Structure formats: C-alpha cells, structure tokens
Amino acid sequence: MRLSLSGEHTGDEYALEDAIGKGSGDSGLPQGELLNDFVEAVCAGDGARTATVRQKIIEEMGEAAMIDAAAVIAAFNCYPRIADATGIPLEEAKAAATAAMRAELGLDELDSRKKPGETWS
C-alpha cells in the first residue's frame, strides 16, 4: 500500500500495516524497525524503553535523526487531539479518498468522537 501522496511523489511503497504495528516488518523505510520501536516505546509511555531506543537511534542514525523522529512522533500525536478537541470534521472528499485505507488499517475505530458502529463513509 502506498503512503498517500508521499509514495506517489517518490514512487516508493511503504507497508502501512507495519507503521501502525499491525505488520511484521520495517515499513519499507531505512531503519524502519528501529523507528517503529521508538514510536511504540513513546506511545506506551515506557520511559526506560524509550531511553534505550533513543540511545540506539543516536548511535545508529545520529542525534539529529533522533530529534527529527521525536518531533514527528510529537506532531502526529498532537494533530488528531487538536482536531478532536476543536471538532474539526473529516472532509467528505478525504473520507471518500481514504475509506479503503482506513478500513484496512482499522483507523475509524480509533476516533473517539464516533458512536459505536458509526463510520466516516
């Protein structure tokens, strides 16, 4: 599965299932498994694991890469919360364009504003 416009722009294919922890690989990204470990540690609130993986990223990829990865995790963690808090709805065109991907990844079930059984399609 291509990662939306990023994959179309670069011609690269990424395994989104791996990126959200439903797969078993590295997402097709360089150092993807290590970066997934970082995301999982941060999102689990596991300080010791986060520190260990953070140090491994610094050793293997450099401090700038670790900072970039941490910034991406922070951004992707806050954007949906901001949208949810302000009540920003998913636009109809985006709902239609992402319906298959959301269903495949189970993303609709993660939205706290929906009632049980409600979908965005």
Side-chain angles (χ1 to χ4, degrees):
M1 176 183 300
R2 285 202 171 172
L3 181 59
S4 190
L5 297 177
S6 298
E8 290 176 20
H9 177 72
T10 65
D12 295 328
E13 299 228 0
Y14 304 101
L16 292 181
E17 299 81 10
D18 294 336
I20 64 165
K22 290 189 173 187
S24 59
D26 64 5
S27 311
L29 299 171
Q31 300 290 338
E33 190 171 341
L34 178 58
L35 294 170
N36 280 345
D37 286 346
F38 190 37
V39 171
E40 290 174 11
V42 170
C43 290
D46 186 336
R49 182 175 169 207
T50 298
T52 299
V53 178
R54 185 173 46 233
Q55 186 58 41
K56 191 169 183 182
I57 290 171
I58 291 169
E59 291 168 4
E60 293 187 21
M61 302 173 69
E63 187 174 27
M66 186 279 298
I67 292 169
D68 287 347
V72 170
I73 293 168
F76 275 86
N77 190 36
C78 80
Y79 294 148
R81 293 172 191 253
I82 293 168
D84 284 349
T86 60
I88 297 173
L90 181 63
E91 297 94 342
E92 288 184 33
K94 289 181 183 173
T98 61
M101 177 185 67
R102 288 190 335 270
E104 183 178 340
L105 299 176
L107 298 179
D108 285 336
E109 303 308 315
L110 301 176
D111 191 319
S112 62
R113 293 175 293 141
K114 289 184 19 229
K115 297 178 181 126
E118 181 182 14
T119 65
W120 291 110
S121 51

